[in-house]
Amino acid sequence: RERLAEMVDRWLSRDPDSKEGRQSDQLTPLAGVPSTQSPEPGQPFNMGQLESIVGRDLSLKRRYLELFEVTARPLLSRLGDAIATRAANAVRRAAHELKGSCGSIGAVPMAELSGRLERLDVEESWPEAERLYEDLEAAFERATAFVRALGPA
């Protein structure tokens, strides 16, 4: 509440004609308030959502994204194994877990693909599951490339 009050006070007291008053980045997102915006086109992460969790500290963002990479990789592998062995329940469980992990950090494209896999009746459409998994692997590669481009934490 104190942080919200400070933000409101700062916003109300600003001069809208000044350069500082026009800058939209003067207000930081509230922690714990997820963003509903999709990431910029072609981007693997919704950075606004990530900032709602960790703030604007670049080194903290890097650490969270590196942790995401380390935790998502085995989930993705488990999902691929479940598809390869035609284990429908394991596909749904792994896709659900990956969807949650991706969604919580703002990896929207991966969360959407995982959700589609989770909802898919895989027993009726293994080829579609395989295609979605390939798309998910490509989205993960884009996400990890993005993380590496940020540099080490």
Side-chain angles (χ1 to χ4, degrees):
R1 285 185 169 179
E2 290 175 22
R3 184 169 177 213
L4 177 59
E6 287 174 20
M7 289 173 58
V8 170
D9 286 343
R10 194 172 57 219
W11 183 75
L12 290 174
S13 65
R14 72 185 166 99
D15 177 3
D17 295 323
S18 73
K19 180 180 176 187
E20 182 179 79
R22 289 190 307 266
Q23 290 179 337
S24 63
D25 63 356
Q26 293 297 310
L27 299 178
T28 57
L30 291 174
V33 179
S35 170
T36 57
Q37 297 178 353
S38 293
E40 294 294 320
Q43 293 298 315
F45 293 98
N46 175 339
M47 295 306 283
Q49 184 169 341
L50 180 61
E51 286 178 1
S52 76
I53 299 167
V54 300
R56 293 181 181 234
D57 182 325
L58 186 57
S59 67
L60 193 54
K61 286 181 199 176
R62 286 179 182 140
R63 280 185 274 175
Y64 264 74
L65 291 172
E66 287 171 358
L67 179 62
F68 166 76
E69 182 179 354
V70 168
T71 58
R73 188 176 303 280
L75 291 173
L76 190 59
S77 178
R78 195 169 72 212
L79 179 58
D81 292 344
I83 290 171
T85 60
R86 302 297 195 249
N89 287 334
V91 168
R92 282 187 284 278
R93 280 192 307 272
H96 177 78
E97 196 172 341
L98 188 58
K99 177 184 74 173
S101 176
C102 295
S104 69
I105 198 158
V108 177
M110 288 184 67
E112 290 173 352
L113 288 165
S114 298
R116 288 174 59 193
L117 254 170
E118 179 186 19
R119 291 184 304 275
L120 181 68
D121 183 359
V122 291
E123 292 170 341
E124 296 296 321
S125 185
W126 287 109
E128 176 68 4
E130 290 167 346
R131 188 190 63 74
L132 286 170
Y133 181 73
E134 289 172 5
D135 292 347
L136 193 51
E137 283 184 307
F140 181 70
E141 290 306 315
R142 285 188 298 277
T144 56
F146 179 86
V147 172
R148 284 190 297 276
L150 290 176

